[in-house]
Amino acid sequence: MSETVTRRGAVFYGEEGVAGFTHRAFTKSMGFDDEDLARPVIGICNTFSELNNCHQNFRELAAAVKRGVWQAGGFPLEFPTISLGEIFLSPSSMIQRNLAAMDTEEMIRAQPLDAVVLLASCDKTTPAALMGAISADVPAIMLSGGPMLDGHFRGQTLGACTDCRRMTAEHAAGVLDDETYRDVESYVARSAGHCMVMGTASTMNSLVEALGMGLPGNAAIPAVDSRRMRLAEAVGRRVVSLAKEDLRPSQILTPEAFENALTLLSALGGSTNAIVHLAAIAGRAGVELPLSKLDEISRRTPVLANLKPIGTYQMEALFYAGGIPALMNELLPLLHGSAITVTGKTIEENVRGAVIDDPDVIRSRTSPVRDEGGLAVLTGNLAPEGAIIKHAAASPGLMQHRGRAVVFSGLEDLRSRINDDDLDVEPSDVLVLQNVGPVGGPGMPEVGNFPLPKKILQTGVRDMIRISDARMSGTAYGTIVLHVAPEAAMGGALALVQDGDEIELDVPNRTLTLHVDEAELERRRRRWSPPAPYYTRGYGKLFLDQVESAPRGCDFGFLRGSDPVKVGIQAKF
Ligand code: FES
């Protein structure tokens, strides 16, 4: 331990009087002794839950972390924080992301921890854990639970949940019979772990490596591979040194670290959700991360990962091909190699020499999957504060398209009319869904990739331009414009679109234009009134009152920034 570091654990257990007496006595009641209490106290923040299939291996991982902590001379204490199982939460797990971040921050802040290991994996848990730990600013290492093994069905490799959507569309179109469709359910998600395509979880857990907040290899080792247990032990050993070095998130999460994350995001063709989460994480770290930075980096970064939903393979293949370290080694000329990480070394020191074992899965810069990144930022009178499109997963023929708007005022309206035989819709139209943003959704539910009308699907058409203020799952694909800001429920231009208006999407020129003159828009604006709030009390009301826009990460304004935990005597007699 550095001479200059005052350990919170040492203060807690070393206090005079009844406070120190009870701290020691009550900890000893769990079977520990003075030798244990003298060690650096390492919190293991565990988001295990039986309502989160992705985290089913977390008890074993926490045990492995503890072994590593003991080996290195630390004192591990595991504690639970909220778990967010993506498919189990409604109306949108995004609502609870900030709650989970508050839980993580406040428990780190309140307990006598010298450092923490953050065990998280499913879509919202990784950003939430990072956000909380950054605001508390104690030494912290992220440990992901790892991706599921590939699904297999009748000779096909299946991915959760890109293929859930593909199979559902095939079933709706009458191509797949009922029995086969039901059968696939048992094959698509076959093990513990998070979704194994390059969806939100795989993206966020990969970005952990680029941000410097996880050990190299963290993202891709399958959840059930014994190497993940060994990684967990290594995390346990390393976090004790991290506590002694007092290396904090505020020293690691510099503007360069976020540029590295955006570069990796582009090279992965990663999830659009990561844009929102990175903005929130950057907000906690006090780093400005405008959407223009994403577009700038995406334009100059080739896609090197040949992974679903924009490529062929899945996380298991990425692991066998060398994982994120091999990919980042190939990307080094585009990265800030000198950025410091939780290993105590730089990004370049971590990944230099990592070998690509399958050049079709991890492509070289001279033979990329795509010449530029998969994400683009659009602006125009329909999205003055920006919108996102994952053009790598979209139809090339729709990248410059002008069409007639077919408007749905919200999810209920969509559900009641989308498959109506009388719906006036053509394949060349532009489908618009309003009021599904941060406030309107609420929580920007992943509905931006809403299904096409059945009568369009039955003609063999599989994609149309869809525009909304929602998000979409990172495993989804299609010509889908998302995160339109300002959102409709806050009076953004999206709220003013009417059936029959002309909308023009121009991805090469990064514009999204509503061809309605300003005087008419102003007339519509004066007649507009906001939808009734979804929540009128409790945490939901706090969310609606405080949530910021998508470009600002949907965090609460009062949570931005950090306030490092204080080392000191408790207010207790
Ligand atoms: Fe957890 Fe997909 S449901 S990552």
Side-chain angles (χ1 to χ4, degrees), residues 272-465:
T272 48
N273 285 327
I275 301 163
V276 179
H277 296 317
L278 273 179
I281 293 165
R284 297 301 184 101
V287 171
E288 282 301 318
L289 203 63
L291 286 177
S292 56
K293 180 62 77 177
L294 167 71
D295 202 69
E296 175 195 321
I297 288 176
S298 186
R299 282 180 191 264
R300 70 170 185 237
T301 308
V303 177
L304 301 184
N306 186 10
L307 301 179
K308 286 181 182 175
I310 66 172
T312 306
Y313 300 101
Q314 305 189 145
M315 290 300 281
E316 202 176 327
L318 178 69
F319 173 55
Y320 303 139
I324 296 299
L327 197 152
M328 285 178 61
N329 187 28
E330 181 64 21
L331 264 187
L332 264 179
L334 300 175
L335 295 171
H336 298 285
S338 61
I340 196 75
T341 75
V342 289
T343 63
K345 300 177 184 159
T346 64
I347 286 280
E348 179 166 0
E349 288 169 333
N350 285 347
V351 305
R352 173 69 76 197
V355 174
I356 296 174
D357 286 322
D358 187 336
D360 192 39
V361 178
I362 302 175
R363 300 288 186 82
S364 66
R365 280 175 288 116
T366 52
S367 179
V369 178
R370 294 170 54 91
D371 289 335
E372 66 169 88
L375 301 167
V377 178
L378 308 168
T379 53
N381 68 340
L382 188 48
E385 293 175 16
I388 301 293
I389 185 168
K390 188 173 184 173
H391 56 106
S395 300
L398 292 173
M399 291 299 88
Q400 286 181 301
H401 180 87
R402 180 167 171 160
R404 193 182 61 137
V406 177
V407 182
F408 301 93
S409 62
L411 280 177
E412 269 186 41
D413 186 33
L414 178 80
R415 285 193 193 104
S416 68
R417 292 196 299 123
I418 188 78
N419 290 326
D420 190 333
D421 286 339
D422 295 330
L423 182 68
D424 179 13
V425 61
E426 301 289 334
S428 60
D429 289 341
V430 175
L431 303 176
V432 174
L433 177 59
Q434 300 165 325
N435 298 314
V436 281
V439 171
M444 298 179 81
E446 292 184 338
V447 296
N449 53 314
F450 56 93
L452 304 189
K454 210 173 213 167
K455 69 180 188 183
I456 298 283
L457 284 171
Q458 284 165 344
T459 67
V461 173
R462 292 288 180 272
D463 194 16
M464 292 171 67
I465 296 177

Side-chain angles (χ1 to χ4, degrees), residues 52-54 84-87 121-123 148 160 193-195 201:
N52 189 340
N53 59 295
C54 301
L84 306 177
E86 189 65 21
I87 59 157
S121 240
C122 193
D123 289 13
M148 295 176 195
H194 62 73
C195 292

Side-chain angles (χ1 to χ4, degrees), residues 520-541:
E520 171 60 16
L521 287 178
E522 189 49 42
R523 267 193 295 280
R524 295 181 190 179
R525 198 170 281 121
R526 280 199 296 271
R527 288 199 303 268
W528 176 83
S529 59
Y534 190 93
Y535 298 110
T536 55
R537 63 164 300 282
Y539 173 76
K541 184 173 187 318

Side-chain angles (χ1 to χ4, degrees), residues 195-206:
C195 292
M196 69 300 229
V197 298
M198 189 43 74
T200 305
S202 297
T203 303
M204 290 309 302
N205 292 313
S206 299

